Every structure is written in C-alpha cells, then in structure tokens.
CSV table of all heavy atoms in Angstrom, one decimal:
chain,number,residue,atom,x,y,z
F,1,THR,N,-146.4,115.9,-43.1
F,1,THR,CA,-146.6,116.4,-41.7
F,1,THR,C,-146.5,117.8,-41.6
F,1,THR,O,-147.2,118.6,-41.0
F,1,THR,CB,-145.5,115.7,-40.8
F,1,THR,OG1,-145.6,114.3,-41.0
F,1,THR,CG2,-145.7,116.2,-39.4
F,2,GLU,N,-145.4,118.5,-42.3
F,2,GLU,CA,-145.2,119.9,-42.3
F,2,GLU,C,-146.4,120.6,-42.8
F,2,GLU,O,-146.7,121.8,-42.3
F,2,GLU,CB,-143.8,120.3,-42.9
F,2,GLU,CG,-142.7,119.6,-42.2
F,2,GLU,CD,-142.6,120.1,-40.7
F,2,GLU,OE1,-142.8,121.3,-40.4
F,2,GLU,OE2,-142.4,119.1,-39.9
F,3,THR,N,-146.9,120.1,-44.0
F,3,THR,CA,-148.1,120.8,-44.6
F,3,THR,C,-149.2,120.8,-43.6
F,3,THR,O,-150.0,121.9,-43.4
F,3,THR,CB,-148.4,120.3,-45.8
F,3,THR,OG1,-147.2,120.2,-46.7
F,3,THR,CG2,-149.5,121.1,-46.5
F,4,TRP,N,-149.4,119.8,-42.9
F,4,TRP,CA,-150.6,119.7,-41.8
F,4,TRP,C,-150.3,120.7,-40.8
F,4,TRP,O,-151.1,121.3,-40.4
F,4,TRP,CB,-150.8,118.3,-41.4
F,4,TRP,CG,-151.7,117.4,-42.2
F,4,TRP,CD1,-151.4,116.3,-42.9
F,4,TRP,CD2,-153.1,117.7,-42.4
F,4,TRP,NE1,-152.5,115.8,-43.3
F,4,TRP,CE2,-153.6,116.7,-43.2
F,4,TRP,CE3,-154.0,118.6,-42.0
F,4,TRP,CZ2,-154.8,116.5,-43.6
F,4,TRP,CZ3,-155.3,118.6,-42.3
F,4,TRP,CH2,-155.7,117.6,-43.2
F,5,LYS,N,-149.1,120.8,-40.3
F,5,LYS,CA,-148.8,121.6,-39.2
F,5,LYS,C,-148.9,123.1,-39.6
F,5,LYS,O,-149.5,124.0,-38.8
F,5,LYS,CB,-147.3,121.3,-38.7
F,5,LYS,CG,-147.2,120.1,-37.9
F,5,LYS,CD,-145.7,119.6,-37.7
F,5,LYS,CE,-145.0,120.5,-36.7
F,5,LYS,NZ,-143.7,119.9,-36.5
F,6,ARG,N,-148.5,123.4,-40.9
F,6,ARG,CA,-148.7,124.9,-41.3
F,6,ARG,C,-150.2,125.2,-41.5
F,6,ARG,O,-150.6,126.2,-41.0
F,6,ARG,CB,-147.9,125.0,-42.8
F,6,ARG,CG,-148.3,126.4,-43.4
F,6,ARG,CD,-147.4,126.6,-44.6
F,6,ARG,NE,-147.6,125.5,-45.5
F,6,ARG,CZ,-148.7,125.5,-46.4
F,6,ARG,NH1,-149.6,126.6,-46.3
F,6,ARG,NH2,-148.8,124.6,-47.3
F,7,ALA,N,-151.0,124.2,-41.8
F,7,ALA,CA,-152.4,124.4,-42.0
F,7,ALA,C,-153.0,124.7,-40.7
F,7,ALA,O,-153.9,125.5,-40.6
F,7,ALA,CB,-153.1,123.2,-42.6
F,8,LEU,N,-152.7,124.0,-39.6
F,8,LEU,CA,-153.1,124.1,-38.3
F,8,LEU,C,-152.7,125.5,-37.7
F,8,LEU,O,-153.6,126.2,-37.1
F,8,LEU,CB,-152.6,123.0,-37.3
F,8,LEU,CG,-153.2,121.6,-37.6
F,8,LEU,CD1,-152.4,120.4,-37.0
F,8,LEU,CD2,-154.6,121.5,-37.1
F,9,SER,N,-151.5,125.9,-38.0
F,9,SER,CA,-151.0,127.2,-37.6
F,9,SER,C,-151.9,128.4,-38.3
F,9,SER,O,-152.2,129.3,-37.7
F,9,SER,CB,-149.6,127.4,-37.8
F,9,SER,OG,-148.7,126.5,-37.0
F,10,GLU,N,-152.2,128.2,-39.6
F,10,GLU,CA,-152.9,129.2,-40.2
F,10,GLU,C,-154.3,129.1,-39.8
F,10,GLU,O,-155.0,130.2,-39.7
F,10,GLU,CB,-152.8,128.8,-41.8
F,10,GLU,CG,-151.5,129.1,-42.3
F,10,GLU,CD,-151.4,128.8,-43.8
F,10,GLU,OE1,-152.5,128.5,-44.5
F,10,GLU,OE2,-150.3,128.8,-44.5
F,11,ALA,N,-154.8,128.0,-39.4
F,11,ALA,CA,-156.2,127.9,-38.8
F,11,ALA,C,-156.3,128.8,-37.5
F,11,ALA,O,-157.3,129.5,-37.4
F,11,ALA,CB,-156.5,126.5,-38.5
F,12,VAL,N,-155.3,128.6,-36.7
F,12,VAL,CA,-155.3,129.5,-35.4
F,12,VAL,C,-155.4,131.0,-35.8
F,12,VAL,O,-156.0,131.8,-35.3
F,12,VAL,CB,-154.1,129.2,-34.6
F,12,VAL,CG1,-153.9,130.1,-33.4
F,12,VAL,CG2,-154.4,127.7,-34.0
F,13,LYS,N,-154.6,131.4,-36.9
F,13,LYS,CA,-154.5,132.8,-37.2
F,13,LYS,C,-155.7,133.4,-37.7
F,13,LYS,O,-156.1,134.5,-37.5
F,13,LYS,CB,-153.4,132.9,-38.3
F,13,LYS,CG,-152.0,132.8,-37.8
F,13,LYS,CD,-151.0,132.9,-38.9
F,13,LYS,CE,-149.5,132.8,-38.4
F,13,LYS,NZ,-148.5,132.9,-39.5
F,14,ILE,N,-156.7,132.6,-38.3
F,14,ILE,CA,-158.0,133.0,-38.7
F,14,ILE,C,-159.1,132.8,-37.6
F,14,ILE,O,-160.3,133.2,-37.9
F,14,ILE,CB,-158.4,132.4,-40.1
F,14,ILE,CG1,-158.6,131.0,-40.0
F,14,ILE,CG2,-157.5,132.8,-41.1
F,14,ILE,CD1,-159.3,130.3,-41.2
F,15,GLY,N,-158.7,132.4,-36.5
F,15,GLY,CA,-159.6,132.3,-35.4
F,15,GLY,C,-160.1,131.0,-34.9
F,15,GLY,O,-160.9,130.9,-34.0
F,16,ILE,N,-159.7,129.9,-35.6
F,16,ILE,CA,-160.3,128.5,-35.3
F,16,ILE,C,-159.9,128.1,-34.0
F,16,ILE,O,-158.7,128.4,-33.5
F,16,ILE,CB,-159.9,127.7,-36.5
F,16,ILE,CG1,-160.7,127.8,-37.8
F,16,ILE,CG2,-159.9,126.2,-35.9
F,16,ILE,CD1,-160.2,127.0,-38.8
F,17,LEU,N,-160.8,127.5,-33.3
F,17,LEU,CA,-160.5,127.1,-32.0
F,17,LEU,C,-160.4,125.6,-31.8
F,17,LEU,O,-159.9,125.2,-30.7
F,17,LEU,CB,-161.8,127.5,-31.1
F,17,LEU,CG,-162.1,128.9,-31.0
F,17,LEU,CD1,-163.4,129.2,-30.2
F,17,LEU,CD2,-160.9,129.7,-30.4
F,18,GLN,N,-160.8,124.8,-32.7
F,18,GLN,CA,-160.9,123.4,-32.5
F,18,GLN,C,-160.3,122.6,-33.8
F,18,GLN,O,-160.6,123.1,-34.9
F,18,GLN,CB,-162.3,122.9,-32.3
F,18,GLN,CG,-163.0,123.4,-31.1
F,18,GLN,CD,-164.5,123.1,-31.0
F,18,GLN,OE1,-164.8,122.1,-31.6
F,18,GLN,NE2,-165.3,123.8,-30.3
F,19,ALA,N,-159.6,121.5,-33.4
F,19,ALA,CA,-159.1,120.7,-34.6
F,19,ALA,C,-159.6,119.3,-34.3
F,19,ALA,O,-159.4,118.8,-33.2
F,19,ALA,CB,-157.6,120.7,-34.7
F,20,HIS,N,-160.3,118.7,-35.3
F,20,HIS,CA,-160.8,117.4,-35.2
F,20,HIS,C,-160.2,116.5,-36.2
F,20,HIS,O,-160.2,116.7,-37.3
F,20,HIS,CB,-162.4,117.4,-35.4
F,20,HIS,CG,-163.1,118.3,-34.5
F,20,HIS,ND1,-163.8,117.8,-33.3
F,20,HIS,CD2,-163.3,119.7,-34.5
F,20,HIS,CE1,-164.3,118.8,-32.8
F,20,HIS,NE2,-164.1,119.8,-33.4
F,21,PHE,N,-159.4,115.5,-35.5
F,21,PHE,CA,-158.6,114.7,-36.4
F,21,PHE,C,-159.4,113.4,-36.8
F,21,PHE,O,-159.8,112.6,-36.0
F,21,PHE,CB,-157.2,114.3,-35.7
F,21,PHE,CG,-156.4,115.4,-35.4
F,21,PHE,CD1,-156.3,115.9,-34.2
F,21,PHE,CD2,-155.7,115.9,-36.5
F,21,PHE,CE1,-155.3,117.0,-33.9
F,21,PHE,CE2,-154.8,117.1,-36.3
F,21,PHE,CZ,-154.6,117.6,-35.1
F,22,SER,N,-159.6,113.3,-38.1
F,22,SER,CA,-160.5,112.3,-38.6
F,22,SER,C,-159.8,111.5,-39.8
F,22,SER,O,-158.7,111.8,-40.1
F,22,SER,CB,-161.8,112.8,-38.9
F,22,SER,OG,-162.7,111.9,-39.5
F,23,GLY,N,-160.7,110.7,-40.5
F,23,GLY,CA,-160.2,110.0,-41.7
F,23,GLY,C,-161.4,109.6,-42.4
F,23,GLY,O,-162.3,110.5,-42.7
F,24,GLY,N,-161.4,108.4,-43.0
F,24,GLY,CA,-160.6,107.3,-42.7
F,24,GLY,C,-160.4,107.0,-41.3
F,24,GLY,O,-161.0,107.5,-40.3
F,25,GLU,N,-159.2,106.3,-41.1
F,25,GLU,CA,-158.8,106.0,-39.7
F,25,GLU,C,-157.5,106.8,-39.5
F,25,GLU,O,-156.5,106.5,-40.0
F,25,GLU,CB,-158.5,104.5,-39.6
F,25,GLU,CG,-157.9,104.2,-38.1
F,25,GLU,CD,-158.6,104.8,-36.9
F,25,GLU,OE1,-159.9,104.7,-37.0
F,25,GLU,OE2,-158.0,105.5,-36.1
F,26,PRO,N,-157.6,108.0,-38.6
F,26,PRO,CA,-156.5,108.8,-38.4
F,26,PRO,C,-155.3,108.2,-37.8
F,26,PRO,O,-154.2,108.7,-38.1
F,26,PRO,CB,-157.0,110.0,-37.6
F,26,PRO,CG,-158.2,109.4,-37.0
F,26,PRO,CD,-158.9,108.4,-37.8
F,27,THR,N,-155.6,107.2,-37.0
F,27,THR,CA,-154.5,106.5,-36.3
F,27,THR,C,-153.6,105.7,-37.3
F,27,THR,O,-152.5,105.2,-36.9
F,27,THR,CB,-154.9,105.8,-35.2
F,27,THR,OG1,-155.8,104.7,-35.7
F,27,THR,CG2,-155.6,106.5,-34.2
F,28,ALA,N,-153.9,105.6,-38.6
F,28,ALA,CA,-153.2,105.0,-39.6
F,28,ALA,C,-152.0,105.8,-39.9
F,28,ALA,O,-150.9,105.4,-40.6
F,28,ALA,CB,-153.9,104.7,-40.8
F,29,ARG,N,-152.0,107.1,-39.6
F,29,ARG,CA,-150.8,108.1,-39.8
F,29,ARG,C,-149.8,108.0,-38.6
F,29,ARG,O,-150.2,108.2,-37.4
F,29,ARG,CB,-151.4,109.5,-39.9
F,29,ARG,CG,-152.2,109.9,-41.0
F,29,ARG,CD,-151.4,110.4,-42.2
F,29,ARG,NE,-150.5,111.4,-42.0
F,29,ARG,CZ,-150.2,112.5,-43.0
F,29,ARG,NH1,-150.8,112.4,-44.0
F,29,ARG,NH2,-149.4,113.3,-42.6
F,30,LYS,N,-148.6,107.7,-39.0
F,30,LYS,CA,-147.5,107.6,-37.9
F,30,LYS,C,-147.2,108.9,-37.3
F,30,LYS,O,-146.7,109.0,-36.2
F,30,LYS,CB,-146.4,107.0,-38.6
F,30,LYS,CG,-146.5,105.6,-38.9
F,30,LYS,CD,-145.2,104.9,-39.4
F,30,LYS,CE,-145.2,103.6,-39.8
F,30,LYS,NZ,-143.9,103.0,-40.4
F,31,ASP,N,-147.6,110.0,-38.0
F,31,ASP,CA,-147.3,111.2,-37.3
F,31,ASP,C,-148.4,111.9,-36.5
F,31,ASP,O,-148.3,113.1,-36.2
F,31,ASP,CB,-146.9,112.3,-38.5
F,31,ASP,CG,-148.1,112.5,-39.6
F,31,ASP,OD1,-149.1,111.8,-39.5
F,31,ASP,OD2,-147.8,113.3,-40.4
F,32,LEU,N,-149.3,111.1,-36.2
F,32,LEU,CA,-150.5,111.7,-35.5
F,32,LEU,C,-150.2,112.3,-34.2
F,32,LEU,O,-150.6,113.4,-33.8
F,32,LEU,CB,-151.7,110.6,-35.3
F,32,LEU,CG,-152.9,111.0,-34.6
F,32,LEU,CD1,-153.6,112.3,-35.3
F,32,LEU,CD2,-153.9,109.8,-34.4
F,33,GLU,N,-149.3,111.7,-33.4
F,33,GLU,CA,-148.8,112.3,-32.1
F,33,GLU,C,-148.3,113.7,-32.5
F,33,GLU,O,-148.4,114.7,-31.6
F,33,GLU,CB,-147.7,111.3,-31.5
F,33,GLU,CG,-148.3,110.1,-31.1
F,33,GLU,CD,-148.2,109.0,-32.0
F,33,GLU,OE1,-148.3,109.2,-33.2
F,33,GLU,OE2,-148.1,107.9,-31.6
F,34,GLU,N,-147.4,113.9,-33.4
F,34,GLU,CA,-146.7,115.0,-33.7
F,34,GLU,C,-147.8,116.2,-34.0
F,34,GLU,O,-147.6,117.3,-33.7
F,34,GLU,CB,-145.9,114.9,-34.8
F,34,GLU,CG,-145.0,116.2,-35.2
F,34,GLU,CD,-143.9,115.9,-36.1
F,34,GLU,OE1,-143.7,114.7,-36.4
F,34,GLU,OE2,-143.1,117.0,-36.6
F,35,LEU,N,-148.8,115.8,-34.8
F,35,LEU,CA,-149.9,116.7,-35.2
F,35,LEU,C,-150.7,117.1,-34.0
F,35,LEU,O,-151.0,118.2,-33.9
F,35,LEU,CB,-150.7,116.1,-36.3
F,35,LEU,CG,-150.0,115.7,-37.6
F,35,LEU,CD1,-151.1,115.2,-38.6
F,35,LEU,CD2,-149.3,117.0,-38.1
F,36,ILE,N,-151.0,116.2,-33.2
F,36,ILE,CA,-151.7,116.5,-31.8
F,36,ILE,C,-150.9,117.5,-31.1
F,36,ILE,O,-151.5,118.4,-30.5
F,36,ILE,CB,-152.1,115.2,-31.1
F,36,ILE,CG1,-153.1,114.5,-31.9
F,36,ILE,CG2,-152.6,115.6,-29.7
F,36,ILE,CD1,-153.4,113.1,-31.2
F,37,GLN,N,-149.6,117.2,-30.9
F,37,GLN,CA,-148.8,118.0,-30.0
F,37,GLN,C,-148.7,119.5,-30.6
F,37,GLN,O,-148.7,120.5,-29.9
F,37,GLN,CB,-147.3,117.4,-30.0
F,37,GLN,CG,-146.5,118.0,-29.0
F,37,GLN,CD,-145.8,119.4,-29.4
F,37,GLN,OE1,-145.5,119.5,-30.7
F,37,GLN,NE2,-145.6,120.3,-28.5
F,38,HIS,N,-148.5,119.5,-31.9
F,38,HIS,CA,-148.5,120.8,-32.5
F,38,HIS,C,-149.8,121.6,-32.3
F,38,HIS,O,-149.8,122.8,-32.0
F,38,HIS,CB,-148.1,120.8,-34.0
F,38,HIS,CG,-148.2,122.0,-34.6
F,38,HIS,ND1,-147.1,123.0,-34.6
F,38,HIS,CD2,-149.0,122.7,-35.6
F,38,HIS,CE1,-147.3,124.0,-35.3
F,38,HIS,NE2,-148.5,124.0,-35.9
F,39,ALA,N,-150.9,120.9,-32.6
F,39,ALA,CA,-152.3,121.6,-32.5
F,39,ALA,C,-152.4,122.1,-31.0
F,39,ALA,O,-152.9,123.2,-30.7
F,39,ALA,CB,-153.3,120.8,-32.9
F,40,SER,N,-152.0,121.3,-30.1
F,40,SER,CA,-152.2,121.6,-28.6
F,40,SER,C,-151.3,122.8,-28.3
F,40,SER,O,-151.8,123.7,-27.5
F,40,SER,CB,-152.0,120.4,-27.8
F,40,SER,OG,-152.1,120.8,-26.5
F,41,SER,N,-150.1,122.8,-28.8
F,41,SER,CA,-149.2,123.8,-28.5
F,41,SER,C,-149.5,125.2,-28.9
F,41,SER,O,-149.1,126.2,-28.3
F,41,SER,CB,-147.8,123.4,-28.9
F,41,SER,OG,-147.7,123.6,-30.4
F,42,ILE,N,-150.3,125.3,-30.0
F,42,ILE,CA,-150.7,126.7,-30.5
F,42,ILE,C,-152.2,127.0,-30.0
F,42,ILE,O,-152.8,127.8,-30.5
F,42,ILE,CB,-150.7,126.7,-32.0
F,42,ILE,CG1,-151.5,125.5,-32.6
F,42,ILE,CG2,-149.2,126.6,-32.5
F,42,ILE,CD1,-151.5,125.5,-34.1
C-alpha cells in the first residue's frame, strides 16, 4: 500500500492528472479504498 501511495504522489509531482485503477481485478485488493482516498486527496 505505501509503495502505491508513494508512486501516486510522485505521479502528481511530474504533472499526471489521472489515476486509473485496474488489474486483473483491482477490487481483489483490500486496500483499494485507501488508494482511492489518497489519489483523490492529492
């Protein structure tokens, strides 16, 4: 989870505007809510 959150924060720093959560099936991850919340907050 923490590595994904860091990657999303670094994405914003280089100018990325959108995060698309995919897989496989992304809802198989229990931390998906946390990743969405982090992406939205930044």
Side-chain angles (χ1 to χ4, degrees):
T1 306
E2 292 307 311
T3 304
W4 272 117
K5 288 167 72 173
R6 176 172 59 80
L8 290 165
S9 295
E10 291 180 7
V12 170
K13 288 181 180 178
I14 63 173
I16 285 177
L17 301 173
Q18 304 173 16
H20 301 265
F21 295 106
S22 180
E25 175 47 57
T27 60
R29 293 269 307 211
K30 291 183 177 180
D31 59 357
L32 180 55
E33 292 91 331
E34 186 175 351
L35 297 179
I36 292 171
Q37 192 280 326
H38 179 74
S40 180
S41 71
I42 57 178

